[in-house]
Amino acid sequence: GDQVEQSPSALSLHEGTGSALRCNFTTTMRAVQWFRKNSRGSLINLFYLASGTKENGRLKSAFDSKERYSTLHIRDAQLEDSGTYFCAAEAASSGSWQLIFGSGTQLTVMP
Amino acid sequence: NAGVIQTPRHKVTGKGQEATLWCEPISGHSAVFWYRQTIVQGLEFLTYFRNQAPIDDSGMPKERFSAQMPNQSHSTLKIQSTQPQDSAVYLCASSFPGLGSYEQYFGPGTRLTVL
Protein backbone atom coordinates (compact mmCIF):
# COMPACT_ATOMS: atom_id res chain seq x y z
CA GLY A 1 0.00 0.00 0.00
CA ASP A 2 0.90 3.66 -0.15
CA GLN A 3 3.64 4.45 2.32
CA VAL A 4 3.53 8.23 1.91
CA GLU A 5 0.17 9.96 2.18
CA GLN A 6 0.32 13.63 1.24
CA SER A 7 -2.42 16.15 1.93
CA PRO A 8 -4.11 18.20 0.79
CA SER A 9 -4.00 17.32 -2.88
CA ALA A 10 -4.85 20.92 -3.76
CA LEU A 11 -4.66 24.16 -1.83
CA SER A 12 -5.59 27.74 -2.67
CA LEU A 13 -4.20 30.65 -0.70
CA HIS A 14 -4.48 34.40 -0.97
CA GLU A 15 -1.27 36.37 -1.06
CA GLY A 16 0.05 37.07 2.41
CA THR A 17 -1.65 34.12 4.08
CA GLY A 18 -0.17 30.79 5.06
CA SER A 19 -0.93 27.14 5.48
CA ALA A 20 0.64 23.73 5.98
CA LEU A 21 1.14 20.65 3.87
CA ARG A 22 1.46 17.30 5.57
CA CYS A 23 2.83 13.86 4.79
CA ASN A 24 1.93 10.87 6.91
CA PHE A 25 3.99 7.73 6.67
CA THR A 26 2.70 4.19 7.14
CA THR A 27 6.15 2.99 8.11
CA THR A 28 9.17 4.45 9.87
CA MET A 29 11.14 6.75 7.62
CA ARG A 30 14.79 7.63 7.98
CA ALA A 31 14.67 11.04 6.34
CA VAL A 32 12.36 13.23 4.29
CA GLN A 33 12.84 15.64 1.42
CA TRP A 34 10.48 18.38 0.23
CA PHE A 35 10.50 19.58 -3.36
CA ARG A 36 8.69 22.16 -5.46
CA LYS A 37 8.15 21.52 -9.13
CA ASN A 38 9.01 24.68 -11.04
CA SER A 39 7.41 26.02 -14.20
CA ARG A 40 9.86 24.03 -16.33
CA GLY A 41 8.94 20.81 -14.57
CA SER A 42 12.15 20.46 -12.57
CA LEU A 43 12.14 19.38 -8.93
CA ILE A 44 13.67 22.07 -6.76
CA ASN A 45 15.05 20.99 -3.39
CA LEU A 46 13.43 22.77 -0.48
CA PHE A 47 14.45 20.74 2.58
CA TYR A 48 16.21 17.57 3.63
CA LEU A 49 15.53 16.48 7.21
CA ALA A 50 16.61 13.46 9.19
CA SER A 51 14.92 14.91 12.30
CA GLY A 52 13.68 18.14 13.84
CA THR A 53 12.86 21.32 11.99
CA LYS A 54 14.44 23.57 9.39
CA GLU A 55 13.50 27.00 8.22
CA ASN A 56 14.33 28.88 5.05
CA GLY A 57 12.74 32.24 4.51
CA ARG A 58 8.97 31.85 4.48
CA LEU A 59 9.16 28.06 4.53
CA LYS A 60 9.53 25.83 7.54
CA SER A 61 9.58 22.06 7.66
CA ALA A 62 9.39 19.52 10.45
CA PHE A 63 9.96 15.77 10.53
CA ASP A 64 9.01 13.39 13.32
CA SER A 65 10.19 9.88 12.54
CA LYS A 66 8.61 8.35 15.63
CA GLU A 67 5.18 9.89 14.97
CA ARG A 68 5.59 9.20 11.25
CA TYR A 69 4.85 12.57 9.70
CA SER A 70 6.41 15.62 8.14
CA THR A 71 5.01 19.08 7.53
CA LEU A 72 5.83 22.01 5.29
CA HIS A 73 4.57 25.40 6.48
CA ILE A 74 4.30 28.32 4.11
CA ARG A 75 3.78 31.79 5.52
CA ASP A 76 3.16 35.09 3.75
CA ALA A 77 2.47 33.25 0.51
CA GLN A 78 3.51 34.97 -2.72
CA LEU A 79 2.31 34.41 -6.26
CA GLU A 80 5.62 32.77 -7.17
CA ASP A 81 5.02 30.07 -4.55
CA SER A 82 2.37 28.53 -6.80
CA GLY A 83 3.27 25.08 -8.05
CA THR A 84 3.24 21.45 -7.08
CA TYR A 85 4.94 20.42 -3.85
CA PHE A 86 6.12 16.89 -3.14
CA CYS A 87 7.39 15.15 -0.07
CA ALA A 88 9.55 12.08 -0.44
CA ALA A 89 11.01 9.82 2.22
CA GLU A 90 13.57 7.05 2.71
CA ALA A 91 12.21 3.94 4.43
CA ALA A 92 14.25 3.04 7.51
CA SER A 93 13.51 -0.66 7.17
CA SER A 94 15.14 -1.01 3.80
CA GLY A 95 18.82 -0.64 3.19
CA SER A 96 17.94 1.24 0.05
CA TRP A 97 18.25 4.97 -0.40
CA GLN A 98 15.29 5.14 -2.79
CA LEU A 99 12.81 7.92 -2.21
CA ILE A 100 9.13 7.11 -1.85
CA PHE A 101 7.09 10.05 -3.08
CA GLY A 102 3.79 11.50 -1.99
CA SER A 103 1.23 12.29 -4.64
CA GLY A 104 1.85 16.03 -4.49
CA THR A 105 0.00 19.19 -3.44
CA GLN A 106 -1.03 21.65 -6.12
CA LEU A 107 -0.71 25.08 -4.50
CA THR A 108 -2.33 28.10 -6.09
CA VAL A 109 -1.63 31.52 -4.64
CA MET A 110 -4.17 34.14 -5.65
CA PRO A 111 -3.85 37.93 -5.59
CA ASN B 1 27.75 23.49 -11.09
CA ALA B 2 25.40 22.56 -13.91
CA GLY B 3 23.34 20.21 -11.82
CA VAL B 4 22.19 16.83 -13.06
CA ILE B 5 22.09 16.76 -16.85
CA GLN B 6 19.66 14.58 -18.75
CA THR B 7 19.55 14.08 -22.49
CA PRO B 8 17.53 14.16 -24.58
CA ARG B 9 14.87 16.35 -22.98
CA HIS B 10 12.22 14.89 -25.25
CA LYS B 11 12.16 11.65 -27.18
CA VAL B 12 9.48 10.22 -29.41
CA THR B 13 9.67 6.60 -30.47
CA GLY B 14 7.47 4.25 -32.37
CA LYS B 15 6.08 1.17 -30.72
CA GLY B 16 8.71 -1.56 -30.71
CA GLN B 17 11.69 0.76 -31.07
CA GLU B 18 14.50 1.13 -28.56
CA ALA B 19 15.04 4.21 -26.41
CA THR B 20 18.22 5.13 -24.56
CA LEU B 21 18.15 7.88 -21.98
CA TRP B 22 21.30 9.53 -20.63
CA CYS B 23 22.12 11.02 -17.28
CA GLU B 24 25.20 12.92 -16.12
CA PRO B 25 25.27 13.24 -12.32
CA ILE B 26 26.61 16.20 -10.42
CA SER B 27 30.40 16.00 -10.37
CA GLY B 28 31.59 14.15 -7.30
CA HIS B 29 28.26 12.50 -6.57
CA SER B 30 28.69 8.76 -6.16
CA ALA B 31 25.03 7.67 -6.16
CA VAL B 32 22.75 7.86 -9.20
CA PHE B 33 19.02 7.16 -9.16
CA TRP B 34 16.38 6.69 -11.84
CA TYR B 35 12.69 7.44 -11.32
CA ARG B 36 9.66 7.56 -13.57
CA GLN B 37 6.73 9.95 -13.38
CA THR B 38 3.30 9.31 -14.86
CA ILE B 39 -0.09 10.87 -14.23
CA VAL B 40 -1.48 7.58 -12.97
CA GLN B 41 1.40 6.26 -10.85
CA GLY B 42 3.04 9.51 -9.80
CA LEU B 43 6.76 9.44 -9.10
CA GLU B 44 8.13 5.93 -8.70
CA PHE B 45 11.61 4.59 -8.12
CA LEU B 46 13.26 2.41 -10.73
CA THR B 47 16.88 1.71 -9.81
CA TYR B 48 20.07 3.15 -8.38
CA PHE B 49 23.84 2.83 -8.42
CA ARG B 50 26.46 3.60 -5.83
CA ASN B 51 30.07 3.97 -6.94
CA GLN B 52 28.90 2.66 -10.33
CA ALA B 53 27.65 -0.63 -8.84
CA PRO B 54 23.96 -1.52 -9.12
CA ILE B 55 22.47 -1.53 -5.61
CA ASP B 56 18.69 -1.71 -5.90
CA ASP B 57 16.70 -2.37 -9.05
CA SER B 58 13.48 -3.34 -7.29
CA GLY B 59 11.45 -0.78 -9.23
CA MET B 60 12.61 -1.80 -12.67
CA PRO B 61 10.13 -3.64 -14.89
CA LYS B 62 11.49 -7.16 -15.31
CA GLU B 63 11.43 -7.09 -19.05
CA ARG B 64 12.74 -4.60 -21.60
CA PHE B 65 14.28 -2.17 -19.06
CA SER B 66 17.96 -2.06 -18.20
CA ALA B 67 20.29 0.50 -16.65
CA GLN B 68 24.02 0.85 -16.62
CA MET B 69 26.66 3.10 -15.18
CA PRO B 70 29.85 2.47 -17.13
CA ASN B 71 31.74 5.32 -15.47
CA GLN B 72 31.24 7.87 -12.71
CA SER B 73 30.18 10.58 -15.12
CA HIS B 74 27.16 9.02 -16.75
CA SER B 75 24.40 6.47 -16.50
CA THR B 76 22.00 5.16 -19.12
CA LEU B 77 18.50 3.77 -18.99
CA LYS B 78 17.61 1.60 -21.96
CA ILE B 79 14.12 0.51 -22.89
CA GLN B 80 13.85 -2.14 -25.56
CA SER B 81 10.77 -2.66 -27.68
CA THR B 82 9.05 0.42 -26.26
CA GLN B 83 5.33 0.26 -25.60
CA PRO B 84 2.80 3.10 -25.23
CA GLN B 85 2.59 2.42 -21.48
CA ASP B 86 6.30 3.31 -21.22
CA SER B 87 5.41 6.92 -22.01
CA ALA B 88 6.46 8.96 -18.98
CA VAL B 89 8.95 11.50 -17.72
CA TYR B 90 12.11 9.70 -16.68
CA LEU B 91 14.03 11.47 -13.94
CA CYS B 92 17.61 10.99 -12.89
CA ALA B 93 18.93 12.11 -9.51
CA SER B 94 22.33 12.07 -7.87
CA SER B 95 23.52 12.18 -4.31
CA PHE B 96 26.75 12.57 -2.39
CA PRO B 97 26.34 10.42 0.71
CA GLY B 98 28.77 12.27 2.89
CA LEU B 99 28.24 13.50 6.43
CA GLY B 100 25.20 11.23 6.79
CA SER B 101 23.03 13.10 4.30
CA TYR B 102 21.66 11.33 1.28
CA GLU B 103 19.90 14.34 -0.22
CA GLN B 104 19.03 13.70 -3.84
CA TYR B 105 19.20 16.32 -6.59
CA PHE B 106 17.11 15.81 -9.68
CA GLY B 107 17.67 16.53 -13.32
CA PRO B 108 15.02 18.09 -15.57
CA GLY B 109 13.87 14.72 -16.87
CA THR B 110 13.43 13.13 -20.27
CA ARG B 111 9.88 13.05 -21.58
CA LEU B 112 9.45 9.81 -23.52
CA THR B 113 6.48 9.48 -25.81
CA VAL B 114 5.82 6.12 -27.43
CA LEU B 115 3.42 6.32 -30.34
Side-chain angles (χ1 to χ4, degrees):
Chain A
D2 292 347
Q3 299 184 60
V4 179
E5 300 163 353
Q6 186 172 347
S7 63
S9 57
L11 178 64
S12 293
L13 295 175
H14 285 285
E15 269 187 300
T17 64
S19 189
L21 285 56
R22 184 178 178 103
C23 283
N24 291 325
F25 310 120
T26 58
T27 187
T28 301
M29 299 297 183
R30 181 169 53 219
V32 67
Q33 285 191 244
W34 284 92
F35 301 91
R36 182 174 65 85
K37 197 172 187 180
N38 69 9
S39 58
R40 299 180 66 181
S42 295
L43 289 174
I44 305 301
N45 290 41
L46 298 177
F47 293 104
Y48 176 92
L49 296 99
S51 65
T53 63
K54 285 187 179 179
E55 191 166 357
N56 185 1
R58 296 177 291 100
L59 300 178
K60 182 177 180 179
S61 182
F63 172 49
D64 190 325
S65 176
K66 184 177 179 181
E67 298 299 323
R68 299 186 179 178
Y69 77 89
S70 179
T71 56
L72 177 68
H73 291 259
I74 302 172
R75 63 175 174 82
D76 188 24
Q78 303 297 305
L79 295 176
E80 59 264 29
D81 295 331
S82 295
T84 304
Y85 290 75
F86 293 94
C87 68
E90 301 167 20
S93 58
S94 79
S96 176
W97 297 344
Q98 63 168 279
L99 287 174
I100 305 165
F101 278 82
S103 54
T105 296
Q106 178 67 48
L107 173 64
T108 303
V109 180
M110 302 172 292
Chain B
N1 192 332
V4 176
I5 298 171
Q6 289 190 249
T7 54
R9 293 296 309 277
H10 303 272
K11 186 170 182 66
V12 180
T13 66
K15 184 178 174 180
Q17 293 183 328
E18 182 177 290
T20 299
L21 312 181
W22 293 69
C23 171
E24 181 179 328
I26 294 171
S27 178
H29 282 197
S30 57
V32 171
F33 303 78
W34 285 96
Y35 296 83
R36 174 169 68 177
Q37 184 174 27
T38 61
I39 298 294
V40 174
Q41 298 292 335
L43 275 149
E44 52 182 357
F45 167 78
L46 295 175
T47 185
Y48 87 95
F49 299 83
R50 191 163 71 231
N51 296 323
Q52 298 174 235
I55 301 299
D56 179 1
D57 67 354
S58 59
M60 289 278 272
K62 298 306 178 190
E63 298 178 351
R64 302 185 295 106
F65 282 65
S66 62
Q68 295 183 342
M69 191 162 183
N71 58 59
Q72 64 185 6
S73 64
H74 88 272
S75 174
T76 58
L77 180 67
K78 183 182 292 185
I79 309 171
Q80 295 178 311
S81 185
T82 54
Q83 303 297 310
Q85 61 265 30
D86 299 331
S87 297
V89 176
Y90 289 83
L91 293 165
C92 176
S94 72
S95 174
F96 173 66
L99 303 176
S101 167
Y102 306 99
E103 185 171 4
Q104 294 182 30
Y105 296 85
F106 283 76
T110 294
R111 180 175 295 277
L112 176 66
T113 302
V114 182
L115 302 176

mmCIF file with all atom_site columns, all heavy atoms in Angstrom, chain A residues 74-91:
data_model
loop_
_atom_site.group_PDB
_atom_site.id
_atom_site.type_symbol
_atom_site.label_atom_id
_atom_site.label_alt_id
_atom_site.label_comp_id
_atom_site.label_asym_id
_atom_site.label_entity_id
_atom_site.label_seq_id
_atom_site.pdbx_PDB_ins_code
_atom_site.Cartn_x
_atom_site.Cartn_y
_atom_site.Cartn_z
_atom_site.occupancy
_atom_site.B_iso_or_equiv
_atom_site.pdbx_formal_charge
_atom_site.auth_seq_id
_atom_site.auth_comp_id
_atom_site.auth_asym_id
_atom_site.auth_atom_id
_atom_site.pdbx_PDB_model_num
ATOM 1   N N   . ILE A 1 74 ? 4.045  27.166 4.957  1.00 0.00 ? 74 ILE A N   1
ATOM 2   C CA  . ILE A 1 74 ? 4.302  28.320 4.106  1.00 0.00 ? 74 ILE A CA  1
ATOM 3   C C   . ILE A 1 74 ? 3.623  29.522 4.760  1.00 0.00 ? 74 ILE A C   1
ATOM 4   O O   . ILE A 1 74 ? 2.429  29.465 5.065  1.00 0.00 ? 74 ILE A O   1
ATOM 5   C CB  . ILE A 1 74 ? 3.732  28.112 2.691  1.00 0.00 ? 74 ILE A CB  1
ATOM 6   C CG1 . ILE A 1 74 ? 4.325  26.860 2.054  1.00 0.00 ? 74 ILE A CG1 1
ATOM 7   C CG2 . ILE A 1 74 ? 3.974  29.337 1.818  1.00 0.00 ? 74 ILE A CG2 1
ATOM 8   C CD1 . ILE A 1 74 ? 3.686  26.474 0.735  1.00 0.00 ? 74 ILE A CD1 1
ATOM 9   N N   . ARG A 1 75 ? 4.383  30.586 4.977  1.00 0.00 ? 75 ARG A N   1
ATOM 10  C CA  . ARG A 1 75 ? 3.779  31.795 5.521  1.00 0.00 ? 75 ARG A CA  1
ATOM 11  C C   . ARG A 1 75 ? 3.969  32.943 4.532  1.00 0.00 ? 75 ARG A C   1
ATOM 12  O O   . ARG A 1 75 ? 4.867  32.911 3.705  1.00 0.00 ? 75 ARG A O   1
ATOM 13  C CB  . ARG A 1 75 ? 4.410  32.159 6.866  1.00 0.00 ? 75 ARG A CB  1
ATOM 14  C CG  . ARG A 1 75 ? 5.869  32.503 6.835  1.00 0.00 ? 75 ARG A CG  1
ATOM 15  C CD  . ARG A 1 75 ? 6.344  32.959 8.222  1.00 0.00 ? 75 ARG A CD  1
ATOM 16  N NE  . ARG A 1 75 ? 7.784  33.174 8.246  1.00 0.00 ? 75 ARG A NE  1
ATOM 17  C CZ  . ARG A 1 75 ? 8.389  34.287 7.812  1.00 0.00 ? 75 ARG A CZ  1
ATOM 18  N NH1 . ARG A 1 75 ? 7.655  35.285 7.327  1.00 0.00 ? 75 ARG A NH1 1
ATOM 19  N NH2 . ARG A 1 75 ? 9.718  34.399 7.877  1.00 0.00 ? 75 ARG A NH2 1
ATOM 20  N N   . ASP A 1 76 ? 3.088  33.915 4.624  1.00 0.00 ? 76 ASP A N   1
ATOM 21  C CA  . ASP A 1 76 ? 3.156  35.087 3.754  1.00 0.00 ? 76 ASP A CA  1
ATOM 22  C C   . ASP A 1 76 ? 3.302  34.657 2.285  1.00 0.00 ? 76 ASP A C   1
ATOM 23  O O   . ASP A 1 76 ? 4.231  35.067 1.575  1.00 0.00 ? 76 ASP A O   1
ATOM 24  C CB  . ASP A 1 76 ? 4.328  35.989 4.170  1.00 0.00 ? 76 ASP A CB  1
ATOM 25  C CG  . ASP A 1 76 ? 4.340  37.316 3.429  1.00 0.00 ? 76 ASP A CG  1
ATOM 26  O OD1 . ASP A 1 76 ? 3.272  37.742 2.965  1.00 0.00 ? 76 ASP A OD1 1
ATOM 27  O OD2 . ASP A 1 76 ? 5.440  37.895 3.279  1.00 0.00 ? 76 ASP A OD2 1
ATOM 28  N N   . ALA A 1 77 ? 2.373  33.821 1.846  1.00 0.00 ? 77 ALA A N   1
ATOM 29  C CA  . ALA A 1 77 ? 2.469  33.248 0.509  1.00 0.00 ? 77 ALA A CA  1
ATOM 30  C C   . ALA A 1 77 ? 2.535  34.320 -0.576 1.00 0.00 ? 77 ALA A C   1
ATOM 31  O O   . ALA A 1 77 ? 1.841  35.352 -0.496 1.00 0.00 ? 77 ALA A O   1
ATOM 32  C CB  . ALA A 1 77 ? 1.273  32.324 0.258  1.00 0.00 ? 77 ALA A CB  1
ATOM 33  N N   . GLN A 1 78 ? 3.362  34.079 -1.576 1.00 0.00 ? 78 GLN A N   1
ATOM 34  C CA  . GLN A 1 78 ? 3.515  34.970 -2.718 1.00 0.00 ? 78 GLN A CA  1
ATOM 35  C C   . GLN A 1 78 ? 3.075  34.232 -3.985 1.00 0.00 ? 78 GLN A C   1
ATOM 36  O O   . GLN A 1 78 ? 3.051  33.002 -4.031 1.00 0.00 ? 78 GLN A O   1
ATOM 37  C CB  . GLN A 1 78 ? 4.964  35.422 -2.844 1.00 0.00 ? 78 GLN A CB  1
ATOM 38  C CG  . GLN A 1 78 ? 5.503  36.119 -1.611 1.00 0.00 ? 78 GLN A CG  1
ATOM 39  C CD  . GLN A 1 78 ? 4.766  37.404 -1.295 1.00 0.00 ? 78 GLN A CD  1
ATOM 40  O OE1 . GLN A 1 78 ? 4.676  38.288 -2.152 1.00 0.00 ? 78 GLN A OE1 1
ATOM 41  N NE2 . GLN A 1 78 ? 4.219  37.504 -0.078 1.00 0.00 ? 78 GLN A NE2 1
ATOM 42  N N   . LEU A 1 79 ? 2.778  35.017 -5.018 1.00 0.00 ? 79 LEU A N   1
ATOM 43  C CA  . LEU A 1 79 ? 2.306  34.410 -6.263 1.00 0.00 ? 79 LEU A CA  1
ATOM 44  C C   . LEU A 1 79 ? 3.298  33.378 -6.791 1.00 0.00 ? 79 LEU A C   1
ATOM 45  O O   . LEU A 1 79 ? 2.899  32.336 -7.339 1.00 0.00 ? 79 LEU A O   1
ATOM 46  C CB  . LEU A 1 79 ? 2.067  35.490 -7.315 1.00 0.00 ? 79 LEU A CB  1
ATOM 47  C CG  . LEU A 1 79 ? 0.956  36.494 -7.017 1.00 0.00 ? 79 LEU A CG  1
ATOM 48  C CD1 . LEU A 1 79 ? 0.899  37.562 -8.108 1.00 0.00 ? 79 LEU A CD1 1
ATOM 49  C CD2 . LEU A 1 79 ? -0.391 35.805 -6.900 1.00 0.00 ? 79 LEU A CD2 1
ATOM 50  N N   . GLU A 1 80 ? 4.593  33.671 -6.622 1.00 0.00 ? 80 GLU A N   1
ATOM 51  C CA  . GLU A 1 80 ? 5.617  32.767 -7.173 1.00 0.00 ? 80 GLU A CA  1
ATOM 52  C C   . GLU A 1 80 ? 5.732  31.452 -6.408 1.00 0.00 ? 80 GLU A C   1
ATOM 53  O O   . GLU A 1 80 ? 6.458  30.549 -6.835 1.00 0.00 ? 80 GLU A O   1
ATOM 54  C CB  . GLU A 1 80 ? 6.985  33.454 -7.221 1.00 0.00 ? 80 GLU A CB  1
ATOM 55  C CG  . GLU A 1 80 ? 7.505  33.922 -5.885 1.00 0.00 ? 80 GLU A CG  1
ATOM 56  C CD  . GLU A 1 80 ? 7.199  35.389 -5.614 1.00 0.00 ? 80 GLU A CD  1
ATOM 57  O OE1 . GLU A 1 80 ? 6.176  35.891 -6.134 1.00 0.00 ? 80 GLU A OE1 1
ATOM 58  O OE2 . GLU A 1 80 ? 7.987  36.019 -4.888 1.00 0.00 ? 80 GLU A OE2 1
ATOM 59  N N   . ASP A 1 81 ? 5.018  31.334 -5.295 1.00 0.00 ? 81 ASP A N   1
ATOM 60  C CA  . ASP A 1 81 ? 5.019  30.070 -4.553 1.00 0.00 ? 81 ASP A CA  1
ATOM 61  C C   . ASP A 1 81 ? 4.097  29.033 -5.204 1.00 0.00 ? 81 ASP A C   1
ATOM 62  O O   . ASP A 1 81 ? 4.121  27.856 -4.831 1.00 0.00 ? 81 ASP A O   1
ATOM 63  C CB  . ASP A 1 81 ? 4.564  30.281 -3.101 1.00 0.00 ? 81 ASP A CB  1
ATOM 64  C CG  . ASP A 1 81 ? 5.527  31.137 -2.306 1.00 0.00 ? 81 ASP A CG  1
ATOM 65  O OD1 . ASP A 1 81 ? 6.729  31.125 -2.614 1.00 0.00 ? 81 ASP A OD1 1
ATOM 66  O OD2 . ASP A 1 81 ? 5.058  31.838 -1.383 1.00 0.00 ? 81 ASP A OD2 1
ATOM 67  N N   . SER A 1 82 ? 3.281  29.466 -6.130 1.00 0.00 ? 82 SER A N   1
ATOM 68  C CA  . SER A 1 82 ? 2.365  28.528 -6.798 1.00 0.00 ? 82 SER A CA  1
ATOM 69  C C   . SER A 1 82 ? 3.150  27.417 -7.493 1.00 0.00 ? 82 SER A C   1
ATOM 70  O O   . SER A 1 82 ? 4.217  27.656 -8.058 1.00 0.00 ? 82 SER A O   1
ATOM 71  C CB  . SER A 1 82 ? 1.510  29.266 -7.829 1.00 0.00 ? 82 SER A CB  1
ATOM 72  O OG  . SER A 1 82 ? 0.648  30.193 -7.219 1.00 0.00 ? 82 SER A OG  1
ATOM 73  N N   . GLY A 1 83 ? 2.615  26.227 -7.431 1.00 0.00 ? 83 GLY A N   1
ATOM 74  C CA  . GLY A 1 83 ? 3.269  25.082 -8.051 1.00 0.00 ? 83 GLY A CA  1
ATOM 75  C C   . GLY A 1 83 ? 2.880  23.813 -7.321 1.00 0.00 ? 83 GLY A C   1
ATOM 76  O O   . GLY A 1 83 ? 2.035  23.823 -6.430 1.00 0.00 ? 83 GLY A O   1
ATOM 77  N N   . THR A 1 84 ? 3.516  22.745 -7.707 1.00 0.00 ? 84 THR A N   1
ATOM 78  C CA  . THR A 1 84 ? 3.238  21.454 -7.080 1.00 0.00 ? 84 THR A CA  1
ATOM 79  C C   . THR A 1 84 ? 4.361  21.106 -6.113 1.00 0.00 ? 84 THR A C   1
ATOM 80  O O   . THR A 1 84 ? 5.534  21.158 -6.484 1.00 0.00 ? 84 THR A O   1
ATOM 81  C CB  . THR A 1 84 ? 3.098  20.344 -8.135 1.00 0.00 ? 84 THR A CB  1
ATOM 82  O OG1 . THR A 1 84 ? 2.080  20.710 -9.066 1.00 0.00 ? 84 THR A OG1 1
ATOM 83  C CG2 . THR A 1 84 ? 2.706  19.022 -7.471 1.00 0.00 ? 84 THR A CG2 1
ATOM 84  N N   . TYR A 1 85 ? 3.985  20.760 -4.899 1.00 0.00 ? 85 TYR A N   1
ATOM 85  C CA  . TYR A 1 85 ? 4.937  20.425 -3.845 1.00 0.00 ? 85 TYR A CA  1
ATOM 86  C C   . TYR A 1 85 ? 4.869  18.919 -3.571 1.00 0.00 ? 85 TYR A C   1
ATOM 87  O O   . TYR A 1 85 ? 3.782  18.345 -3.486 1.00 0.00 ? 85 TYR A O   1
ATOM 88  C CB  . TYR A 1 85 ? 4.625  21.202 -2.574 1.00 0.00 ? 85 TYR A CB  1
ATOM 89  C CG  . TYR A 1 85 ? 4.908  22.680 -2.696 1.00 0.00 ? 85 TYR A CG  1
ATOM 90  C CD1 . TYR A 1 85 ? 4.048  23.506 -3.427 1.00 0.00 ? 85 TYR A CD1 1
ATOM 91  C CD2 . TYR A 1 85 ? 6.029  23.245 -2.111 1.00 0.00 ? 85 TYR A CD2 1
ATOM 92  C CE1 . TYR A 1 85 ? 4.310  24.862 -3.568 1.00 0.00 ? 85 TYR A CE1 1
ATOM 93  C CE2 . TYR A 1 85 ? 6.298  24.613 -2.232 1.00 0.00 ? 85 TYR A CE2 1
ATOM 94  C CZ  . TYR A 1 85 ? 5.437  25.402 -2.968 1.00 0.00 ? 85 TYR A CZ  1
ATOM 95  O OH  . TYR A 1 85 ? 5.706  26.752 -3.099 1.00 0.00 ? 85 TYR A OH  1
ATOM 96  N N   . PHE A 1 86 ? 6.031  18.317 -3.436 1.00 0.00 ? 86 PHE A N   1
ATOM 97  C CA  . PHE A 1 86 ? 6.118  16.892 -3.139 1.00 0.00 ? 86 PHE A CA  1
ATOM 98  C C   . PHE A 1 86 ? 6.949  16.652 -1.890 1.00 0.00 ? 86 PHE A C   1
ATOM 99  O O   . PHE A 1 86 ? 7.969  17.303 -1.674 1.00 0.00 ? 86 PHE A O   1
ATOM 100 C CB  . PHE A 1 86 ? 6.801  16.130 -4.287 1.00 0.00 ? 86 PHE A CB  1
ATOM 101 C CG  . PHE A 1 86 ? 6.033  16.080 -5.565 1.00 0.00 ? 86 PHE A CG  1
ATOM 102 C CD1 . PHE A 1 86 ? 6.255  17.022 -6.567 1.00 0.00 ? 86 PHE A CD1 1
ATOM 103 C CD2 . PHE A 1 86 ? 5.099  15.084 -5.791 1.00 0.00 ? 86 PHE A CD2 1
ATOM 104 C CE1 . PHE A 1 86 ? 5.554  16.964 -7.765 1.00 0.00 ? 86 PHE A CE1 1
ATOM 105 C CE2 . PHE A 1 86 ? 4.396  15.015 -6.981 1.00 0.00 ? 86 PHE A CE2 1
ATOM 106 C CZ  . PHE A 1 86 ? 4.622  15.963 -7.965 1.00 0.00 ? 86 PHE A CZ  1
ATOM 107 N N   . CYS A 1 87 ? 6.507  15.694 -1.097 1.00 0.00 ? 87 CYS A N   1
ATOM 108 C CA  . CYS A 1 87 ? 7.386  15.151 -0.069 1.00 0.00 ? 87 CYS A CA  1
ATOM 109 C C   . CYS A 1 87 ? 7.854  13.788 -0.564 1.00 0.00 ? 87 CYS A C   1
ATOM 110 O O   . CYS A 1 87 ? 7.183  13.141 -1.378 1.00 0.00 ? 87 CYS A O   1
ATOM 111 C CB  . CYS A 1 87 ? 6.683  15.020 1.269  1.00 0.00 ? 87 CYS A CB  1
ATOM 112 S SG  . CYS A 1 87 ? 5.392  13.764 1.307  1.00 0.00 ? 87 CYS A SG  1
ATOM 113 N N   . ALA A 1 88 ? 9.003  13.383 -0.086 1.00 0.00 ? 88 ALA A N   1
ATOM 114 C CA  . ALA A 1 88 ? 9.553  12.080 -0.436 1.00 0.00 ? 88 ALA A CA  1
ATOM 115 C C   . ALA A 1 88 ? 10.395 11.596 0.739  1.00 0.00 ? 88 ALA A C   1
ATOM 116 O O   . ALA A 1 88 ? 11.071 12.409 1.378  1.00 0.00 ? 88 ALA A O   1
ATOM 117 C CB  . ALA A 1 88 ? 10.401 12.163 -1.708 1.00 0.00 ? 88 ALA A CB  1
ATOM 118 N N   . ALA A 1 89 ? 10.342 10.314 1.027  1.00 0.00 ? 89 ALA A N   1
ATOM 119 C CA  . ALA A 1 89 ? 11.013 9.820  2.218  1.00 0.00 ? 89 ALA A CA  1
ATOM 120 C C   . ALA A 1 89 ? 11.771 8.523  1.944  1.00 0.00 ? 89 ALA A C   1
ATOM 121 O O   . ALA A 1 89 ? 11.452 7.791  1.005  1.00 0.00 ? 89 ALA A O   1
ATOM 122 C CB  . ALA A 1 89 ? 9.993  9.598  3.337  1.00 0.00 ? 89 ALA A CB  1
ATOM 123 N N   . GLU A 1 90 ? 12.773 8.288  2.769  1.00 0.00 ? 90 GLU A N   1
ATOM 124 C CA  . GLU A 1 90 ? 13.571 7.053  2.709  1.00 0.00 ? 90 GLU A CA  1
ATOM 125 C C   . GLU A 1 90 ? 13.070 6.119  3.809  1.00 0.00 ? 90 GLU A C   1
ATOM 126 O O   . GLU A 1 90 ? 13.033 6.507  4.977  1.00 0.00 ? 90 GLU A O   1
ATOM 127 C CB  . GLU A 1 90 ? 15.043 7.351  2.967  1.00 0.00 ? 90 GLU A CB  1
ATOM 128 C CG  . GLU A 1 90 ? 15.706 8.317  2.035  1.00 0.00 ? 90 GLU A CG  1
ATOM 129 C CD  . GLU A 1 90 ? 17.063 8.775  2.578  1.00 0.00 ? 90 GLU A CD  1
ATOM 130 O OE1 . GLU A 1 90 ? 17.641 8.077  3.440  1.00 0.00 ? 90 GLU A OE1 1
ATOM 131 O OE2 . GLU A 1 90 ? 17.529 9.838  2.161  1.00 0.00 ? 90 GLU A OE2 1
ATOM 132 N N   . ALA A 1 91 ? 12.704 4.901  3.443  1.00 0.00 ? 91 ALA A N   1
ATOM 133 C CA  . ALA A 1 91 ? 12.215 3.943  4.427  1.00 0.00 ? 91 ALA A CA  1
ATOM 134 C C   . ALA A 1 91 ? 13.368 3.425  5.273  1.00 0.00 ? 91 ALA A C   1
ATOM 135 O O   . ALA A 1 91 ? 14.392 3.002  4.744  1.00 0.00 ? 91 ALA A O   1
ATOM 136 C CB  . ALA A 1 91 ? 11.513 2.776  3.719  1.00 0.00 ? 91 ALA A CB  1
#
